[in-house]
Structures are given as C-alpha cells and as structure tokens.
Amino acid sequence: MTPQIIIVLILTAVINLIVSLSFAVRIVGVKTGRIAITFSLFNILVLVSRTANTFQAPLLAKTVEDQLKHSVTGNEGIFRLIILSCTVGSIIGAGLIPSFQRLLSKAVEHFSVHRSVPRLLYLGFSGSGRQFIKESLKMPSKESITGLHPTKGFPKRIFLANLIASAIMTISVLCCVYAAYLNPSYRTTASNLSGVINGAATLLMVLFIDPHSSVLTDDVVLGKVSVSYFRQYITYMVIARVAGTLLAQLLLLPGASFIAWLAEYV
C-alpha cells in the first residue's frame, strides 16, 4: 500500500467523521437557541473537511495514473478499502456525537459572549479547554438505540432518501477515478464527471432531506415537536448515513461502468 493511499484513507475517514458530526449541529442549535451561531462555528470543521476533500481526489488519481503506466487494469480492493474507511469514519463520528454536542454547546456559549473565533480557538487549546474536552468525552447511551420506535414516527421517505444520497456521495469521486481503469482513453473526462453523480445526491438533499430537517428544527424551537422525537430523528439519519456507506460497496462498479461509458459519449 502506497503512502498516497494511506493518506487517502485517513482523509476519507476524517471527511466522513465530520459529516456524521454535522447531525449534532441541529441538536445543539435547538438546545442553545443559537442556531445561526451554531452552524457558523461548525463551518470551521466544514473547512477542514473541504480541505481534506481537495487533496483526496488528486492523490487517488495519481495512484491510478501510476498503475496505468505499469499496465494495471484494476485495483478494486483499494477502492473498497477506501469505502470501508468511509464507514469507519462515519461510525467513529456517530460515536463522538454526544461529546461533540457538549463541546459545541460550550463553544456557542463562549462565542455568544466574546464574539471572537481566534479567542475561542485559544480557549480550546488552553489548559482549561483541554480539561473540558476530557470531561466532555462520553459514549452514546444504549437508550439512543434501544429507545428507537420504528413503528412510531419513523421517517421512511427521508430515511430512504438519506440512505441513497449518502451512498451516492460516498462513491461519486471513487467511481470517476476507477472509471480510468475501465476506459483509460477518456480518464481525464471521467475524472471530471463526479458532478454528474453528485447531482443526483444533491437533488435528494435539496428536495427532500434539508427542507424536512429545517422544518423539523423550527418545529422543535416553536414547541410543536418534542426534543426527544427530534433526537430520535437525528439518530435515524446517522444510521442512514452509515448504511449508505455500506450500500456504496454495491454501487461502486456499476457507477464506475456508467461513468466510463458516459465519458466516451458526453
């Protein structure tokens, strides 16, 4: 395994860990009553995720280019390992959600008073900040899973949409890079078609998932929906996210074949 692949695995796990943590943002926003500030502070982590994503695709593409020069016609195992790192990162992120809620709530509280991101970062790295981080670490409770009631209030349509969207987003870049093995002559075109696959996931997010989550968040703030139901909803979304990365294993080769064909006729 090359150093590039190891870096890709780490970056992929980090990206998916942050995506899982994003589900906690709405809970913290509702809890603190500072939804806008909560999302603004979380964007710091989003910046980390986007930076990691910027390096992920080129490193993976470089590996494929090197292998094509040595007449390697496929390396499916590496790509499946990368998808597995998506699952691992998502699970770790899900496990860190309770701890992240406490940390983000404290950050929102501090920022509301001092209104300075640099000062907030300084506090996080200070002795008291590190101590608070240690004290905030907590594993998810069993009740978060055993307390689910699939027969009551289960958001089937949103769960399915999030499952499919997560699977598509997991393999979007991977399919385009793997298509280079299937159609080397059009590998440059294929590598630029990730937006075609991401477009389908984006439609699901924009038309179904985000509006429903936003309305539900407002309903909790207005007292129309209980916080316990909202937490249950978030748990279902996290499960859908993890399940989506597993479904991506099945969609990798069909997706790569579609991109290889599309690259030739686009």
Side-chain angles (χ1 to χ4, degrees):
M1 187 179 296
T2 64
Q4 289 96 330
I5 293 299
I6 294 176
I7 294 174
V8 168
L9 291 173
I10 295 173
L11 291 177
T12 301
V14 169
I15 292 169
N16 284 270
L17 184 152
I18 293 175
V19 171
S20 289
L21 291 180
S22 68
F23 291 105
V25 176
R26 293 183 185 276
I27 295 178
V28 174
V30 169
K31 179 181 177 182
T32 61
R34 302 269 187 170
I35 297 177
I37 293 178
T38 303
F39 275 97
S40 179
L41 292 180
F42 181 72
N43 282 338
I44 297 174
L45 281 183
V46 173
L47 180 61
V48 174
S49 175
R50 289 177 178 173
T51 302
N53 197 44
T54 301
F55 289 99
Q56 178 196 41
L59 286 171
L60 187 56
K62 176 66 164 52
T63 300
V64 174
E65 290 282 356
D66 291 340
Q67 291 181 341
L68 288 173
K69 290 178 181 178
H70 294 86
S71 302
V72 177
T73 58
N75 200 347
E76 183 182 340
I78 291 297
F79 283 76
R80 297 205 177 278
L81 188 60
I82 293 171
I83 295 176
L84 179 61
S85 72
C86 294
T87 305
V88 172
S90 297
I91 292 174
I92 294 175
L96 290 175
I97 285 179
S99 302
F100 183 68
Q101 286 181 32
R102 288 172 173 77
L103 293 173
L104 187 56
S105 296
K106 186 67 174 180
V108 170
E109 178 185 333
H110 183 275
F111 186 82
S112 298
V113 176
H114 300 287
R115 307 191 178 193
S116 171
V117 172
R119 186 168 181 173
L120 177 62
L121 294 175
Y122 172 77
L123 176 65
F125 288 105
S126 66
S128 59
R130 293 195 299 270
Q131 181 62 32
F132 180 76
I133 291 174
K134 293 179 182 179
E135 294 174 354
S136 297
L137 295 178
K138 179 184 178 183
M139 292 296 294
S141 63
K142 294 182 179 179
E143 288 74 19
S144 61
I145 300 297
T146 59
L148 296 177
H149 301 287
T151 58
K152 182 180 180 181
F154 177 64
K156 297 179 183 178
R157 181 171 59 90
I158 304 301
F159 183 91
L160 181 61
N162 197 26
L163 171 69
I164 296 173
S166 297
I168 294 174
M169 289 181 173
T170 298
I171 61 167
S172 58
V173 173
L174 299 179
C175 284
C176 294
V177 176
Y178 192 85
Y181 289 121
L182 306 179
N183 197 344
S185 300
Y186 292 90
R187 59 182 178 271
T188 303
T189 304
S191 65
N192 288 290
L193 286 174
S194 60
V196 174
I197 297 183
N198 269 335
T202 301
L203 281 175
L204 288 174
M205 296 291 291
V206 172
L207 296 179
F208 299 102
I209 302 172
D210 285 344
H212 185 274
S213 298
S214 298
V215 170
L216 192 59
T217 302
D218 288 342
D219 285 346
V220 176
V221 173
L222 295 173
K224 297 179 180 180
V225 175
S226 67
V227 176
S228 61
Y229 173 79
F230 187 63
R231 289 181 179 276
Q232 187 178 111
Y233 169 81
I234 295 299
T235 301
Y236 282 129
M237 294 301 100
V238 173
I239 293 174
R241 170 67 193 176
V242 175
T245 63
L246 297 174
L247 177 60
Q249 295 280 4
L250 300 177
L251 300 179
L252 173 63
L253 293 183
S257 297
F258 171 70
I259 291 297
W261 171 84
L262 185 63
E264 187 170 350
Y265 294 101
V266 69

